[in-house]
Amino acid sequence: EAQVTQNPRYLITVTGKKLTVTCSQNMNHEYMSWYRQDPGLGLRQIYYSMNVEVTDKGDVPEGYKVSRKEKRNFPLILESPSPNQTSLYFCASSLSAGGSGELFFGEGSRLTVL
Amino acid sequence: SQKIEQNSEALNIQEGKTATLTCNYTNYSPAYLQWYRQDPGRGPVFLLLIRENEKEKRKERLKVTFDTTLKQSLFHITASQPADSATYLCALHGLTGGGNKLTFGTGTQLKVEL
């Protein structure tokens, strides 16, 4: 089944404790992206990647890192999480390298930073 | 500045009626526009894509219009059903800051009542 898989789905952590949210897609998509969703603010792009070893900042990249060593994986790293990073995170992928096509989203990762 | 506006108030309609959701934008020249459905706690799911040179697109009970003069897209669900209750997001794709980008509105919640 074609899908985008995120882990963990739920996480409660404390300020400053490094964490990684994994994202994997099995559709051989070129483009992958991370979004965060907050009430009243909608989906905001954190980082995106148009291909392996190519990543770029989105609208809200501060406090986050990403890597794209393999086509299928695009982990989101929070080196030193802070409470303002409490949010619902979505990974998405698209066949189009420019991100111009239909986006396939994961089920989301709800992160709480205390 | 660029803005995408969707009605933040929930739209309540009766089963069987046509639901019409609006997406307005300013300071954009989108190459195309997409609509997504999002259920609570789930990732958005792609519904339709319409290009700037298309006036209308249909898929089963769904219809999207795109008026680049008015800078508006309308999303219609005919013969609405309670199962159509969800939040609907519009997303615009265009070139900003030198790169391709898909930007989402905050969504409109639709409630279809028996």
Side-chain angles (χ1 to χ4, degrees):
Chain A
E1 182 191 349
Q3 58 187 2
V4 178
T5 304
Q6 296 178 226
N7 279 296
R9 294 287 314 281
Y10 302 91
L11 179 63
I12 300 174
T13 189
V14 295
T15 299
K17 187 175 180 182
K18 180 180 177 180
L19 69 91
T20 299
V21 186
T22 63
C23 174
S24 181
Q25 51 93 4
N26 62 0
M27 295 169 279
N28 202 36
H29 283 173
E30 301 280 344
Y31 180 91
M32 297 185 76
S33 181
W34 276 102
Y35 291 86
R36 61 177 288 174
Q37 188 172 37
D38 302 287
L41 296 177
L43 282 163
R44 293 180 293 167
Q45 191 178 48
I46 304 170
Y47 269 95
Y48 65 96
S49 169
M50 292 204 279
N51 212 329
V52 175
E53 301 293 1
V54 178
T55 62
D56 264 306
K57 294 177 181 179
D59 294 318
V60 288
E62 295 78 20
Y64 305 95
K65 283 174 58 175
V66 293
S67 68
R68 188 92 182 271
K69 294 188 171 64
E70 307 164 280
K71 198 172 188 179
R72 63 184 292 126
N73 296 323
F74 190 45
L76 179 70
I77 303 155
L78 285 74
E79 292 272 1
S80 182
S82 62
N84 65 11
Q85 292 178 298
T86 292
S87 187
L88 180 57
Y89 291 86
F90 289 102
C91 181
S93 70
S94 175
L95 183 62
S96 165
S100 56
E102 170 188 352
L103 279 176
F104 291 81
F105 283 85
E107 287 297 311
S109 296
R110 187 170 291 281
L111 171 65
T112 302
V113 183
L114 301 174
Chain B
S1 63
Q2 295 168 322
K3 209 182 227 185
I4 302 171
E5 289 182 336
Q6 293 186 258
N7 197 339
S8 58
E9 286 184 26
L11 176 64
N12 297 318
I13 65 165
Q14 268 194 319
E15 183 179 20
K17 302 290 187 188
T18 296
T20 298
L21 306 176
T22 305
C23 176
N24 294 304
Y25 59 92
T26 54
N27 297 322
Y28 264 104
S29 294
Y32 57 82
L33 186 148
Q34 301 183 24
W35 283 89
Y36 288 78
R37 169 187 172 135
Q38 186 174 24
D39 293 288
R42 307 291 297 274
V45 175
F46 172 81
L47 296 174
L48 280 167
L49 179 154
I50 185 165
R51 302 184 190 285
E52 61 179 336
N53 59 351
E54 297 174 315
K55 295 288 186 194
E56 184 179 295
K57 204 86 170 272
R58 290 175 185 260
K59 178 182 174 184
E60 296 171 356
R61 293 185 296 114
L62 309 180
K63 184 177 88 171
V64 171
T65 63
F66 193 11
D67 189 326
T68 55
T69 302
L70 289 179
K71 295 188 182 298
Q72 181 182 77
S73 174
L74 298 178
F75 177 79
H76 306 272
I77 306 176
T78 57
S80 59
Q81 305 164 0
D84 295 325
S85 298
T87 296
Y88 291 86
L89 309 171
C90 72
L92 273 63
H93 180 269
L95 293 175
T96 64
N100 286 320
K101 190 173 170 59
L102 189 67
T103 304
F104 285 82
T106 53
T108 298
Q109 186 179 14
L110 172 67
K111 294 179 185 174
V112 181
E113 296 158 343
L114 293 167

